Amino acid sequence: QLLVVLFLLEQDDWLCWLFALVILVLQVSWFISIAWLPRERRVFGVKSMAKLSPLWGIVAASTHLVCYHLIGIDYEAPGLVHGQAALLIGFTALGLSFLVAGVEHVAHWPLCGRAVAQLMLARNWCRCGDSSRFTMVKQDEATSQSSLDNDESDSALAEIEA
């Protein structure tokens, strides 16, 4: 993200400088919020940003590929640079809003707040059907379920003995 800011500052466009300033303010706000907010909100905010960052990368790279390679727009064209900066501002602002709001407030957002909060809290939110990671997750779930069953049976056994 700092590379985008440096690229924006190299432009002779006042709007690029404004976008760079907004991105820097959002980044500084992010780090200040991380330092001052309670642990639960920090964890939720970091998890959210960890899920939003790859999405931003995919959208930004796709935009670049389509505009630069397919359509032939110069990568330094003001419209493309402004669009990429606005995209970064949107994703950063969304991540900052998740951090500041916390899971309890995000879950109460209208429309799909509860689903978004659950998605941001999910440990393995992207499971690809035939990948080895998917089978490892399934094995881990089976292992943890069997260990839970063993713990329950051990506690039940202890109650019978007593």
Side-chain angles (χ1 to χ4, degrees):
Q1 293 178 354
L2 292 178
L3 292 175
V4 174
V5 170
L6 290 175
F7 183 76
L8 289 170
L9 290 175
E10 290 176 357
Q11 306 302 312
D12 291 331
D13 186 5
W14 68 270
L15 192 55
C16 286
W17 285 46
L18 180 64
F19 280 141
L21 179 66
V22 170
I23 292 169
L24 286 174
V25 166
L26 287 171
Q27 291 297 322
V28 169
S29 300
W30 169 263
F31 288 115
I32 290 172
S33 298
I34 285 288
W36 287 353
L37 287 173
R39 184 170 188 255
E40 302 83 33
R41 288 191 184 190
R42 289 193 313 248
V43 169
F44 181 69
V46 170
K47 281 184 171 189
S48 298
M49 190 57 93
K51 290 181 174 104
L52 290 175
S53 293
L55 293 177
W56 166 74
I58 290 169
V59 172
S62 299
T63 304
H64 174 75
L65 288 173
V66 168
C67 291
Y68 181 69
H69 294 288
L70 295 179
I71 300 174
I73 298 174
D74 183 31
Y75 72 92
E76 291 184 343
L80 182 58
V81 172
H82 296 164
Q84 291 283 22
L87 185 67
L88 178 57
I89 289 170
F91 272 98
T92 306
L94 184 61
L96 183 61
S97 66
F98 286 152
L99 172 67
V100 172
V103 67
E104 63 276 357
H105 295 291
V106 171
H108 288 90
W109 285 357
L111 299 176
C112 57
R114 184 179 173 104
V116 169
Q118 288 174 343
L119 179 66
M120 293 301 151
L121 284 175
R123 191 170 92 199
N124 298 315
W125 70 296
C126 179
R127 294 184 181 172
C128 302
D130 293 329
S131 72
S132 60
R133 181 176 177 205
F134 180 72
T135 56
M136 288 179 63
V137 168
K138 295 292 270 184
Q139 289 172 354
D140 288 345
E141 288 175 358
T143 304
S144 66
Q145 184 61 35
S146 66
S147 68
L148 284 175
D149 293 342
N150 289 340
D151 290 342
E152 290 174 1
S153 62
D154 289 343
S155 63
L157 183 62
E159 288 178 11
I160 292 173
E161 290 176 356

